[in-house]
Amino acid sequence: MDKTKEFYSISEVAEHLSVSIKTIRRHIAAGTLGSIKVGNVYRIPKEALNNFINTYPDSKDPNVGTQIRYNIMGEKEEPGKTESSTSEANSHLPNWVDISKEWKKPKKSSLTYVDLFCGAGGLSKGLEMSGMEGVCGLDWFKEAGMTYRRNFHHRHVEGDITLPEVKKDFYDSVKKGLKGRQLTVVAGGFPCQGFSMAGNRIVDDPRNSLYKEMLEIVKTLQPEFVVCENVVGLRTMLNGGVERKILADFEEAGYKMNVTTLCAADYHTPQKRQRVIFIGNRIGAKNYHPKPILTKEQYKTTGEAIADLMTHPEDPAFNHVPTKHRQDMAERMLALPEGQSLYKGYSDAWKKCPWNEASCTIKENHGGVNIHPKLPRVLTAREMARLQSFPDDFIFEGPKNKQLVQLGNAVPPLLAKAIGLAVRKAYAEKKNEEK
């Protein structure tokens, strides 16, 4: 390593310390190795490297080397900044509300929503089912956009949210769709790969910047409520640092937020899919999360959801096209016990769904990785749609492999419906107070 240089690349530091590049990235993310961002590239200052070497991990002198700390977005943290207090943390705990009486036939309302990173429209469908009116969806995935436009009557903008021309098209579409009305909800599940438990949790994952785009859109559109959904692993990333960052950012923008983890099976979805849900508002309302409707003993099972499709003829128009496997592969699938994976080392991939329980999580994959409990094949797109709680008249566009990706990425509509009903209760309660 050239000791005359003032800044070093990640690879140079990794080579000098005889560790992997991933290890260096993790130290940058954790704030134990100072860095600066030049464009989209991280550089480690010579002084920060010296401090790292001298203080981590063996130094017993707490006064040696004051390290620069960066948050998950690569932004420098303020000196002396401390973790939130217990009382502050408790202020973000969920407020539960009973939605069971409104569940069967929600009345139409004047409340409006837009859906960012909307994919095929699972979140949009659920909010629509809760009685809200869609204004616009936004996503870059071509086939998902085809599906969205087929199943919804409101506008869909296809493109990269980071591009000014796409953002302008989106803003113009929202303004036109609202027709002078107030926007009630900005909802969205910013791409989770940069935060996922399965990833390396690195500070410079470019997908993390999409979260910032959602925050910018919220600040621009000023909706009354915000709903964010993501993978459960986000809550433990950097010892809760990512969650605290999101809460702090939205509160700085004027939105008091509450957060918790919801299980889709609690709301009539035949799948034990868990998602972390942030709900916030700027109108002084009490943020509500939907109280579970079903107990675990009442969960809808895989068999109840897809049994009739076992004898359903192949039907591409209905997204029901069974995969044809090699004989040896089919035999292995048939012999596989329920709840187990076909391959060692994969806890959730190529897993056989239990017949008499709610399904395991439907996964995003080009070839399908959820095995049918009774038949020697993976699930069809329509079977996956049933387990995701999409209605049968919701048709997915594109080739089969793209349909499966759309389904694996989708928010279960019935989970989104429950969230929509909780937001409606919070909104109604606030308006009644004002009256």
Side-chain angles (χ1 to χ4, degrees):
M1 176 178 282
D2 185 354
K3 295 184 178 180
T4 65
K5 294 176 66 174
E6 294 299 318
F7 298 91
Y8 301 105
S9 68
I10 289 176
S11 59
E12 286 176 323
V13 173
E15 182 178 358
H16 179 64
L17 299 179
S18 298
V19 297
S20 70
I21 289 176
K22 288 183 179 179
T23 296
I24 297 302
R25 291 187 190 278
R26 291 188 182 111
H27 280 297
I28 291 175
T32 52
L33 174 59
S35 66
I36 62 172
K37 193 173 184 180
V38 182
N40 291 321
V41 179
Y42 282 87
R43 290 289 181 260
I44 294 89
K46 182 178 180 180
E47 181 181 359
L49 178 59
N50 287 337
N51 286 338
F52 178 80
I53 293 172
N54 291 329
T55 64
Y56 185 85
D58 297 322
S59 175
K60 297 180 180 179
D61 183 354
N63 298 312
V64 175
T66 302
Q67 297 184 14
I68 304 170
R69 298 190 66 84
Y70 291 79
N71 61 35
I72 184 62
M73 297 303 164
E75 300 161 342
K76 190 183 297 184
E77 291 186 349
E78 297 176 11
K81 189 174 182 180
T82 59
E83 299 293 347
S84 57
S85 66
T86 301
S87 61
E88 288 175 327
N90 288 340
S91 71
H92 300 297
L93 293 175
N95 303 303
W96 299 103
V97 67
D98 186 0
I99 59 168
S100 58
K101 292 181 180 179
E102 294 80 16
W103 181 258
K104 286 188 177 181
K105 293 184 179 180
K107 296 179 180 179
K108 291 282 186 181
S109 76
S110 60
L111 275 61
T112 56
Y113 70 86
V114 298
D115 188 356
L116 308 179
F117 317 107
C118 62
L123 186 52
S124 284
K125 187 62 182 178
L127 294 178
E128 181 182 85
M129 293 165 75
S130 76
M132 294 188 189
E133 179 186 339
V135 175
C136 191
L138 171 64
D139 203 284
W140 66 271
F141 188 0
K142 178 183 176 181
E143 288 77 10
M146 294 163 57
T147 297
Y148 197 98
R149 289 188 290 273
R150 172 168 182 159
N151 292 281
F152 297 97
H153 298 298
H154 56 264
R155 179 90 161 87
H156 176 273
V157 174
E158 184 179 310
D160 184 346
I161 194 174
T162 65
L163 299 178
E165 60 270 24
V166 173
K167 208 172 293 183
K168 182 180 184 304
D169 187 10
F170 174 71
Y171 286 141
D172 290 345
S173 298
V174 172
K175 183 178 180 180
K176 184 177 180 180
L178 285 173
K179 299 176 182 178
R181 295 172 297 171
Q182 170 65 46
L183 178 62
T184 311
V185 180
V186 165
F190 44 87
C192 62
Q193 291 91 339
F195 299 129
S196 176
M197 290 172 65
N200 296 318
R201 305 183 178 197
I202 55 177
V203 70
D204 58 351
D205 190 316
R207 293 166 295 192
N208 289 343
S209 67
L210 296 177
Y211 156 70
K212 288 184 174 181
E213 297 294 341
M214 181 172 182
L215 184 62
E216 178 189 325
I217 287 174
V218 168
K219 291 178 179 179
T220 300
L221 293 180
Q222 288 291 294
E224 293 171 304
F225 285 80
V226 176
V227 174
C228 304
E229 67 86 24
N230 217 290
V231 292
V232 176
L234 178 148
R235 305 202 69 182
T236 57
M237 185 174 177
L238 294 184
N239 295 318
V242 174
E243 181 174 298
R244 291 191 295 272
K245 170 69 173 170
I246 292 170
L247 293 169
D249 283 349
F250 276 100
E251 292 197 1
E252 184 179 354
Y255 292 83
K256 175 68 174 70
M257 300 202 88
N258 294 78
V259 58
T260 193
T261 300
L262 299 182
C263 179
D266 290 337
Y267 312 99
H268 293 275
T269 302
Q271 180 190 173
K272 299 173 185 176
R273 192 185 195 94
Q274 291 189 320
R275 305 296 283 183
V276 56
I277 305 295
F278 297 82
I279 298 177
N281 79 88
R282 64 172 182 82
I283 62 174
K286 189 173 185 179
N287 294 318
Y288 284 129
H289 281 82
K291 183 179 179 181
I293 297 174
L294 303 179
T295 64
K296 292 183 179 180
E297 293 74 26
Q298 296 171 321
Y299 282 176
K300 188 173 181 179
T301 69
T302 300
E304 290 172 327
I306 67 172
D308 64 301
L309 295 176
M310 291 178 65
T311 56
H312 195 288
E314 181 173 322
D315 186 356
F318 187 51
N319 305 131
H320 187 61
V321 181
T323 300
K324 296 176 176 62
H325 302 281
R326 298 191 319 266
Q327 182 63 30
D328 62 325
M329 184 69 160
E331 291 175 356
R332 288 179 61 197
M333 288 182 177
L334 198 60
L336 184 69
E338 290 183 8
Q340 292 192 19
S341 174
L342 197 64
Y343 298 101
K344 292 181 179 179
Y346 291 88
S347 59
D348 287 323
W350 293 95
K351 192 172 182 179
K352 178 174 281 191
C353 299
W355 186 255
N356 292 317
E357 298 178 21
S359 168
C360 48
T361 302
I362 296 299
K363 288 288 186 177
E364 178 272 318
N365 188 275
H366 295 277
V369 291
N370 294 90
I371 299 173
H372 196 288
K374 301 292 185 182
L375 301 176
R377 60 169 175 78
V378 294
L379 299 175
T380 67
R382 180 49 52 190
E383 288 165 338
M384 290 173 65
R386 288 272 188 91
L387 297 179
Q388 281 278 57
S389 76
F390 281 95
D392 280 351
D393 61 358
F394 196 102
I395 304 301
F396 293 82
E397 295 285 355
K400 181 180 175 181
N401 63 334
K402 299 296 184 182
Q403 294 172 16
L404 299 180
V405 173
Q406 294 173 54
L407 279 158
N409 284 333
V411 176
L414 291 186
L415 172 59
K417 175 184 176 181
I419 294 167
L421 290 174
V423 170
R424 286 189 61 179
K425 281 223 165 184
Y427 181 88
E429 184 178 280
K430 180 60 179 177
K431 294 305 175 183
N432 286 335
E433 287 179 3
E434 293 175 353
K435 290 179 181 179

